Amino acid sequence: MSHTIRVGAPAQLVALASLSDLKSDLKITDDTQDADLNRRLLEASSAVLAYIGRPILSSDWRDILDLRQDQPRISLVLGRYPVTVLKVVSINGTLMGSDDLTNVFGAMDTSCGMLYPPDGGPALWHPARYVITYTAGYSPPDADGTGGTIPLEIQQAIRITAAASWHGGDRDPNLKSESEQGVGSTSWVATASGTGGLPQDAANLLAGYRSGGIR
């Protein structure tokens, strides 16, 4: 049995892709539409986070894992990932020493939050209560596209979604084509199910980051 508790302040929603990259995608070279594009980036970021279905922005967490007598494990799987800092580990109320903590973090698969026993210790985590406090998640890029740790696939999915919104404007986003009255017909794009309203190309990029998708 395990529980994941947030111990840090919730991360505020910010654009998870840069304005400069979106403008480059759209071939926009002036700043007259920055306010509108920033709004669309925030909306796209929110939609992508909802589709991924798990917190991915950096925050502090605490996991409580209870292993029964019949549950020795080769790894302890944390509820949030990627893990960037391992802060405190206690076993049945006893804090792990700094050297062991360093060894655990060194042997850890940070990308999916799997902790392995420290070198020189037991091959398996023995039955006990483990309380682990850590920092996990990505940091967003700066407005100019530098810095941050958001994976490129997530950034690209956000830009695709924001660009689709910008191109659509106030038009029905499902409207594919229409002709002049009395001359032709109007047709709509079929909406793919299960994408949370994202363009299919954006949803495809996010498959490995959805809840349960990376491990």
Side-chain angles (χ1 to χ4, degrees), residues 57-196:
L57 288 175
S58 184
S59 188
D60 288 343
W61 303 90
R62 178 172 297 127
D63 279 21
I64 302 172
L65 300 96
D66 291 306
L67 302 191
R68 301 193 308 265
Q69 289 299 317
D70 60 343
Q71 291 182 315
R73 295 182 182 175
I74 192 172
S75 67
L76 300 177
V77 182
L78 300 182
R80 301 291 179 259
Y81 52 92
V83 177
T84 55
V85 179
L86 192 60
K87 294 187 169 183
V88 179
V89 176
S90 70
I91 304 174
N92 287 334
T94 300
L95 293 178
M96 183 175 283
S98 58
D99 288 344
D100 282 340
L101 193 63
T102 299
N103 289 337
V104 168
F105 189 67
M108 181 181 184
D109 187 341
T110 57
S111 65
C112 57
M114 291 187 177
L115 278 72
Y116 299 97
D119 292 341
L124 300 174
W125 293 108
H126 56 78
R129 164 165 283 201
Y130 297 88
V131 180
I132 304 165
T133 304
Y134 58 100
T135 303
Y138 304 110
S139 58
D142 297 326
D144 61 0
T146 61
T149 59
I150 300 290
L152 294 179
E153 295 91 345
I154 294 179
Q155 294 188 51
Q156 186 178 356
I158 290 168
R159 298 201 315 270
I160 288 172
T161 303
S165 170
W166 186 83
H167 283 303
D170 296 327
R171 185 168 56 88
D172 184 341
N174 295 322
L175 182 62
K176 180 179 180 181
S177 63
E178 63 181 344
S179 58
E180 294 184 8
Q181 184 175 1
V183 177
S185 61
T186 302
S187 63
W188 281 263
V189 176
T191 303
S193 62
T195 66

